[in-house]
């Protein structure tokens, strides 16, 4: 959004339209259908699709898929994603949640929330199956937590800050710790065919995108404005107080590999996967 608002894309000769999605699943469907050329989504979603070699929101819509990662978009920082409960909850520790087989709200099973929760539970010696994951619409989760419809909730920002300010929710555990510290969250991907067909467009996109990343890492006030104009943050107060990710300027393969390794470790992947095979080697260059 910063690259768009500040004209970085335009100065690279690109006409860019940013379209919000309801998550990685709908974004991947748009890539397959040609409605979108690039998708910013979680590593977990794109790795699952790449390993399967196919994707579809329904069985009838399943089509082959082949993806290339062109940019590392975001990495976890303190407070940017956490496990939340209500004040006075009987669950005071992660172990309490596991022992009680508590119901935890997630956006969808076997996605980024599952990887983070599984890794957090593993650090305390519990498997992911110790909890009951219930898929919920992410913007509704703070209210569902407040209404006791779920025992705990995985909440990324700005929903974590919203839950705190609107309902008094408290962080039971910050995911940015131990094996999850600085964990890669978001990636920018395109279909392999499109990326290979338009290397100059990819190069121009990345030059503008990285300018936006650099601003986001150094000018908080600009990020807050982008959060408001894009509708990501519902209020100025939330935009001003929510935790932010960090925004990498380059792809670091060993860092990105951590996602696939964590997915395998907790059982989201049934085999080890080497992510280097789906990474575009250099901006706009095919090797």
């Amino acid at each position: 959004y910063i690259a768009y608002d500040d004209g970085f894309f335009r100065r690279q000769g690109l006409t860019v339209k940013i379209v919000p999605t309801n998550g990685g699943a709908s974004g991947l469907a748009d890539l397959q259908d040609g409605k979108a050329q690039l998708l910013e989504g979680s590593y977990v979603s794109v790795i699952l699709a790449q390993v399967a070699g196919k994707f579809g929101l329904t069985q009838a819509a399943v089509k082959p898929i082949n993806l290339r990662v062109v940019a590392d978009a975001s990495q976890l920082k303190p407070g940017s994603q956490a496990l939340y409960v209500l004040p006075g909850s009987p669950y005071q520790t992660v172990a309490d949640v596991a022992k009680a087989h508590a119901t935890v709200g997630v956006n969808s099973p076997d996605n980024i929330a599952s990887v983070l929760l599984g890794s957090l539970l593993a650090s305390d010696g519990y498997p992911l199956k110790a909890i009951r994951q219930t898929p919920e619409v992410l913007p509704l989760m703070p209210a569902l937590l407040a209404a006791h419809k779920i025992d705990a909730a995985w909440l990324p920002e700005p929903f974590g800050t919203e839950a705190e300010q609107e309902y008094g929710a408290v962080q039971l555990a910050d995911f940015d710790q131990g094996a999850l510290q600085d964990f890669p969250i978001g990636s920018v991907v395109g279909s392999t065919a499109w990326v290979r067909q338009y290397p100059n467009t990819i190069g121009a996109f990345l030059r503008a995108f990285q300018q936006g990343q650099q601003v986001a890492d150094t000018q908080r006030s600009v990020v807050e404005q982008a959060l408001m104009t894009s509708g990501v943050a519902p209020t100025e107060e939330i935009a001003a107080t929510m935790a932010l990710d960090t925004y990498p300027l380059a792809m670091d393969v060993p860092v990105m590999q951590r996602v696939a390794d964590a997915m395998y470790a907790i059982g989201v992947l049934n085999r080890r996967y080497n992510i280097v095979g789906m990474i575009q080697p250099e901006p706009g260059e095919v090797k």
Side-chain angles (χ1 to χ4, degrees), residues 86-109:
L86 292 175
S89 168
Y91 312 113
Q92 298 298 309
T93 66
V94 174
D96 290 341
V97 172
K99 290 175 183 176
H101 304 296
T103 299
V104 180
V106 299
N107 60 335
S108 60

Side-chain angles (χ1 to χ4, degrees), residues 27-213:
L28 286 168
D30 287 344
L31 278 185
Q32 284 182 304
D33 294 340
K35 295 177 182 177
Q37 287 72 53
L38 295 172
L39 167 68
E40 195 282 319
S42 86
Y43 277 97
V44 177
S45 296
V46 301
I47 290 172
L48 283 172
Q50 184 73 359
V51 169
K54 58 186 178 181
F55 181 81
L57 294 175
T58 66
Q59 191 60 39
V62 171
K63 300 177 184 177
I65 196 165
N66 190 8
L67 303 169
R68 296 287 276 186
V69 180
V70 300
D72 185 8
S74 60
Q75 295 175 5
L76 203 61
K77 280 297 176 186
S80 60
Q81 299 205 29
L83 181 63
Y84 285 84
V85 295
L86 292 175
S89 168
Y91 312 113
Q92 298 298 309
T93 66
V94 174
D96 290 341
V97 172
K99 290 175 183 176
H101 304 296
T103 299
V104 180
V106 299
N107 60 335
S108 60
D110 294 337
N111 212 299
I112 181 63
S114 299
V115 173
L116 296 178
L117 286 164
S119 299
L120 183 68
L121 288 162
S123 67
D124 277 4
Y126 295 96
L128 180 58
K129 64 182 180 182
I131 62 171
R132 290 175 292 172
Q133 299 180 77
T134 177
E136 303 289 356
V137 177
L138 183 53
L140 301 180
M141 271 203 269
L144 291 171
L145 181 64
H148 302 279
K149 300 295 185 182
I150 50 179
D151 298 320
W154 156 80
L155 293 175
E157 291 287 41
F159 304 106
T161 295
E162 180 184 353
E164 291 175 336
Q165 294 183 2
E166 297 292 325
Y167 305 106
V170 295
Q171 286 189 13
L172 183 65
D174 187 336
F175 288 115
D176 185 54
Q177 58 176 293
L180 292 174
Q181 191 169 14
D182 300 325
F183 194 73
I185 298 296
S187 62
V188 179
V189 302
S191 72
T192 298
W194 190 84
V195 169
R196 287 179 172 171
Q197 187 174 357
Y198 300 103
N200 293 334
T201 302
I202 291 295
F205 172 85
L206 288 175
R207 287 190 292 274
F209 181 78
Q210 288 161 1
Q211 282 184 281
Q213 295 281 90

